[in-house]
């Protein structure tokens, strides 16, 4: 393993990169007293980029955010949890624009420099009196210290059991640049009041175009490679903002000598958040990682990794600590991409269970012990080429059914 | 609703069409005393056709059956349950050919007129001594009475809770023609020892080419529109055999004046079996039917219906009797086909919950009562065109997780 380009900043959060403040508080959108509205504000115009859900039914705030990002600049993000503002009609659109305008006023920035994100129940209009009250109080709550990051990270959670964040530092032009991320995600939607939102801040000097390109590429390898239940939300959004306030000398782009180091550090933040979302999937007891190697294309490797990680039968087998490789090979075979049926090897951790598509005798007790752990690695070697991909997910448990079935009854 | 072309034959089974005998018995492949080997034998060469799983890892018997069907004629089908003979290497291939040869000898027919089907555990070689004993005893057990059909239907089951069969009669050239089917299916594979196998017999006079065309078309609307867990098995197979022994005068093909009546009756048998498999899905408490109307193409309608019926969040909501239309619309939006985001109507039974993609107030108590029933119909009207499709599935329950996780631990 090569030495990583970056160092983890213990205790760092979304406000650790220079130029960012954050806040979170409770305004009454959630039934409990937990934070349900939050903001990240940058003291200078930040180069910014975003990626969005591919669901055709996109929630109102996504369109608002798209408009704000047309010029590649953001000063602030306003986020609420407890209500997704999705399938809410013209009133929903109006509410998203009003959130943007109120945040701009509260933080003293232009409305078209504000991104809006929502997560929670689908199909109910926002209680705008509470949102107005929350946004008015947010400007006074903004902090550039650890508490600001903590309050923000709490404000975006729904059915999540833990907050998800990571902060790293990487040397660019011999100077430290900081990258931080915060995310939420657990299941898809109502009644789970959950979807995936992620925010990445950095003080790197980087143009919005380079940032966007990096964001898309990194998303393909991280956030787009996770699944909890296969259900793509209407609200998924990932926003990145770069303040440019580090001491770095030359603007980052693909020609910069430290581009690879930066991209690696950026990917580490995104991968950490993506894995944290998978591990905290609804009802999950463990993180499952599927790596497909020896593929003839990256697309094939991704398709197979995502099919295996998404298989209900593989997920229940992992929950039951059952070394059931037949379910894995069957998932490989239905991924919709060409596979040589005679050359597949499968490992559970280090335990070889299949070689050249044929069963291998293995110690069931050792496999059982391995599968009882918190982390399960499945490796599928296709022996067809040299491309690879990794996907992350979780097991399928009684609690997943309970969380998603026991809502109104 | 138009009057159907066919009449259900109460108490009919796979041997009711003229020319067929069947048998089933226990030879020791299942741990319990239940039947685990069975056969259908036709007294004349039957026009025959089959469709197979699309999984790349196809079990050994599928290749054997393909070879037997090369000339479009079958005299017999030999089936075992308890072992799928999949991922079993060269020995598995040899075992499938030996099953074919033994059955041919036992029933006094040519080996290349015998189809072979297996269902059960993946990755273990067949206990051929037991298979040999079973096949030797089958010829003496063949019956053309109801008991023969009953024993056969039992012999193909694995985790299935109920047998699945239907027999209908339809007038062709003013004479009764009989079509019967038997199927099994519950989850995918080991440890469920389940996959989908279906057999259709008829005494219609029809060439194997017309039969094959009808089989493929009907499969697209029936067996290919069901899902229990999204996991395509390595062993799925549907075999149809036509003895031609009815009193029907002219051979059936698309030009025959009664073709539509025959196709409708044939589809009714397949649809019945497909729905029965869905209702008996692992852990299922109810049958869920999703109909998509107003689509701009049949392919789009199918893709959306299958995405909705396969959504874990929709399935758990149905289990919890939760009128959670947000999950339905989110599934519609991720089906990968164009949808107008402003024109979708959704009904649960007769209860309108969404009109023009906007929530409609409905009585929660009435919806709860409806969703507690054994049959749940979800209708999605896209208002884009005039094509439609229906898919069938089941709810996702604690028992699904129990059945699939609690195997070895």
């Amino acid at each position: 393993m090569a030495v990583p380009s970056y160092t983890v900043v213990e205790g760092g959060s979304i406000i650790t990169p220079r130029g960012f403040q954050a806040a979170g508080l409770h305004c009454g959108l959630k039934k409990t007293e937990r934070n349900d509205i939050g903001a990240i504000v940058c003291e200078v115009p930040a180069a910014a980029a975003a990626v969005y859900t591919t669901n055709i039914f996109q929630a109102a705030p996504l369109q608002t955010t798209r408009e704000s990002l047309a010029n590649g600049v953001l000063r602030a993000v306003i986020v609420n949890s407890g209500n997704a503002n999705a399938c809410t009609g013209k009133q929903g659109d109006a509410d998203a624009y009003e959130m943007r305008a109120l945040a701009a006023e509260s933080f003293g920035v232009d409305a078209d420099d504000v991104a809006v994100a929502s997560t929670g129940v689908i199909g109910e209009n926002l209680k705008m009196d509470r949102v107005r009250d929350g946004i008015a109080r947010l400007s006074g709550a903004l902090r550039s210290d650890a508490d600001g990051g903590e309050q923000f990270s709490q404000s975006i959670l729904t059915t999540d059991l833990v907050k998800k964040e990571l902060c790293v530092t990487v040397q660019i032009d011999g100077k430290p640049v900081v990258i931080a991320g915060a995310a939420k995600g657990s299941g898809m939607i109502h009644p789970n009041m959950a979807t995936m939102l992620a925010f990445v801040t950095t003080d790197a000097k980087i143009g919005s175009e380079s940032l966007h390109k990096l964001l898309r590429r990194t998303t393909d390898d991280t956030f787009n490679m996770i699944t909890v239940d296969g259900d793509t939300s209407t609200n998924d959004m990932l926003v990145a903002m770069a303040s440019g306030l580090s001491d770095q000398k030359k603007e980052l782009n693909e020609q910069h000598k430290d581009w690879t180091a930066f991209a690696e550090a950026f990917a580490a933040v995104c991968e950490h958040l993506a894995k944290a979302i998978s591990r905290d999937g609804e009802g999950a007891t463990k993180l499952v990682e599927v790596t497909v190697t020896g593929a003839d294309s990256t697309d094939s490797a991704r398709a197979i990794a995502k099919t295996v990680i998404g298989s209900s039968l593989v997920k229940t087998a992992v929950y039951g600590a059952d070394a059931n490789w037949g379910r894995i090979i069957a998932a490989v075979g239905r991924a919709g991409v060409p596979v040589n049926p005679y050359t597949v090897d499968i490992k559970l951790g280090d335990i070889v269970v299949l070689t050249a598509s044929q069963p291998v005798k293995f110690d069931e007790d050792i496999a059982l012990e391995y599968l009882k752990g918190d982390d399960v690695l499945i490796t599928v070697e296709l022996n067809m080429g040299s491309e690879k991909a990794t996907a992350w997910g979780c097991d399928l448990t009684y609690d997943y059914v309970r969380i998603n079935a026991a809502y109104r009854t």
Side-chain angles (χ1 to χ4, degrees), chain A residues 6-13 16 166-170 177-179:
Chain A
Y6 56 88
T7 311
V8 172
V9 181
E10 296 298 339
S13 77
T16 308
L166 186 71
C167 182
V168 304
T169 181
V170 55
V177 161
V178 182
I179 308 171

Side-chain angles (χ1 to χ4, degrees), chain A residues 17 28 35 39 48 52 58 76 95 134 143 189 206 221 231 271 288 296 313 323 325 368 382:
Chain A
N35 287 359
Y52 310 90
Q58 297 201 343
D95 291 346
R143 298 269 183 287
I189 44 162
I206 182 171
D221 288 332
D231 280 278
E271 183 176 315
V288 186
D296 56 7
L313 288 171
W325 58 264
L368 179 66
L382 301 174

Side-chain angles (χ1 to χ4, degrees), chain A residues 143-164:
Chain A
R143 298 269 183 287
S144 54
D145 61 11
D147 188 53
E150 169 72 20
Q151 295 299 328
F152 175 80
S153 288
Q154 296 290 349
S155 74
I156 60 176
L157 304 183
T158 56
T159 50
D160 304 64
L161 298 178
V162 296
K163 63 188 167 103
K164 290 114 186 148

Side-chain angles (χ1 to χ4, degrees), chain A residues 39-208:
Chain A
I40 304 169
V41 178
C42 187
E43 66 185 56
V44 295
V51 289
Y52 310 90
T53 181
T54 55
N55 198 303
I56 284 172
F57 298 93
Q58 297 201 343
L62 277 70
Q63 182 52 31
T64 313
T65 298
R66 247 191 214 95
E67 289 181 25
S68 291
L69 271 166
N71 66 348
V73 172
L74 285 182
R75 287 290 305 277
V77 184
I78 178 82
V79 195
N80 75 275
S81 54
N83 185 318
N85 194 10
C87 295
T88 43
K90 288 191 202 319
Q91 186 59 48
D93 294 343
D95 291 346
Y97 284 114
E98 187 181 347
M99 279 180 72
R100 187 172 77 150
L102 290 169
E105 198 186 330
S106 181
F107 307 141
V109 302
D110 287 347
D112 64 3
D113 288 343
V114 178
V116 183
S118 297
T119 177
V121 180
I122 282 189
E124 290 182 14
N125 283 115
L126 278 164
K127 290 172 177 153
M128 283 303 290
D129 52 337
R130 299 182 185 189
V131 171
R132 287 181 200 111
D133 165 62
I135 295 178
R137 288 192 284 130
L138 271 178
S139 63
L142 287 171
R143 298 269 183 287
S144 54
D145 61 11
D147 188 53
E150 169 72 20
Q151 295 299 328
F152 175 80
S153 288
Q154 296 290 349
S155 74
I156 60 176
L157 304 183
T158 56
T159 50
D160 304 64
L161 298 178
V162 296
K163 63 188 167 103
K164 290 114 186 148
E165 48 188 14
L166 186 71
C167 182
V168 304
T169 181
V170 55
Q171 298 289 314
I172 306 292
D173 299 332
K175 301 290 178 184
V177 161
V178 182
I179 308 171
K184 61 86 49 191
S186 189
M188 185 196 51
I189 44 162
H190 176 64
N192 318 303
M193 298 175 292
T195 190
M196 195 206 83
L197 295 179
F199 306 94
V200 177
T201 55
T202 176
D203 47 22
K205 294 179 173 68
I206 182 171
S208 64

Side-chain angles (χ1 to χ4, degrees), chain A residues 333-349:
Chain A
R334 69 172 171 87
V337 297
V339 169
N340 184 333
Y342 303 105
T343 61
V344 178
D345 308 331
I346 295 180
K347 285 196 298 182
L348 304 172

